[in-house]
Amino acid sequence: MMSNNRRDVSGIRMCLNHSQSGIEEGLVELEQDFRIWFEHPHQRPYWSKLMEHLVSFRWVLDQHFTRVAGEGYLEHVACQRPGLYSDLRDIECWQWRLIDRLDSIIHDVQTFDSQRDEIADIEDEFRRLHGEILDEESQERLLVERGLA
């Protein structure tokens, strides 16, 4: 019979995977939006769609981080295994930095001026952020797995 703690952490794993899949879908959608905007930089509808998806994704990412850290899934795991608290705090700091970087990208897209700015620079920054978000998600999963150990 599975202990309540293992069952709880197993349920957390399932909820985390569901939440992370939404993040990954949003990243793929934004990657496509960036590519289309990059190919058609002077067509306002592509810029508008990208802006709409960036703002929406920022909300989704913020909600995900709120569910994961703070009083969320990872906090529950760390309560069960207090040795994981320092890793949880590192993940929380990482999450804030990711939100700050996303805010910077949103600002750069919002204030984009083709006479002054390069779309490729913004797109490159988004690609780097995309990779870091996936790395951060891996650390979330690792913390849950360590909570199960």
Side-chain angles (χ1 to χ4, degrees), residues 13-32:
R13 180 195 293 144
M14 187 176 70
C15 293
L16 181 63
N17 287 343
H18 177 73
S19 185
Q20 287 181 342
S21 69
I23 298 301
E24 291 160 13
E25 289 168 14
L27 287 168
V28 168
E29 182 177 56
L30 283 171
E31 211 168 46
Q32 292 168 350

Side-chain angles (χ1 to χ4, degrees), residues 15-138:
C15 293
L16 181 63
N17 287 343
H18 177 73
S19 185
Q20 287 181 342
S21 69
I23 298 301
E24 291 160 13
E25 289 168 14
L27 287 168
V28 168
E29 182 177 56
L30 283 171
E31 211 168 46
Q32 292 168 350
D33 290 344
F34 267 106
R35 190 174 53 253
I36 292 168
W37 182 49
F38 187 75
E39 292 168 1
H40 309 282
H42 301 292
Q43 294 192 17
R44 186 90 173 156
Y46 297 121
W47 174 89
S48 296
K49 182 178 178 188
L50 174 60
M51 275 304 301
E52 178 185 330
H53 288 163
L54 278 167
V55 170
S56 172
F57 179 75
R58 196 243 188 247
W59 184 86
V60 168
L61 188 64
D62 187 56
Q63 292 301 301
H64 168 74
F65 288 162
T66 299
R67 280 190 302 273
V68 166
E71 299 295 317
Y73 309 139
L74 300 182
E75 184 76 25
H76 182 77
V77 170
C79 281
Q80 303 299 316
R81 305 215 34 187
L84 299 176
Y85 265 110
S86 68
D87 294 332
L88 170 59
R89 297 303 167 234
D90 289 344
I91 288 172
E92 288 174 328
C93 290
W94 194 357
Q95 291 171 341
W96 285 112
R97 288 192 307 270
L98 294 172
I99 289 286
D100 285 345
R101 287 182 55 205
L102 180 56
D103 285 343
S104 178
I105 290 170
I106 291 170
H107 177 266
D108 290 347
V109 172
Q110 190 170 29
T111 60
F112 180 77
D113 178 346
S114 61
Q115 303 298 325
R116 177 193 71 215
D117 304 319
E118 286 291 329
I119 291 176
D121 293 342
I122 301 171
E123 188 180 28
D124 288 346
E125 177 58 20
F126 174 74
R127 280 201 186 103
R128 284 190 295 275
L129 178 64
H130 181 162
E132 278 199 44
I133 289 171
L134 295 179
D135 290 345
E136 188 275 337
E137 286 188 342
S138 293

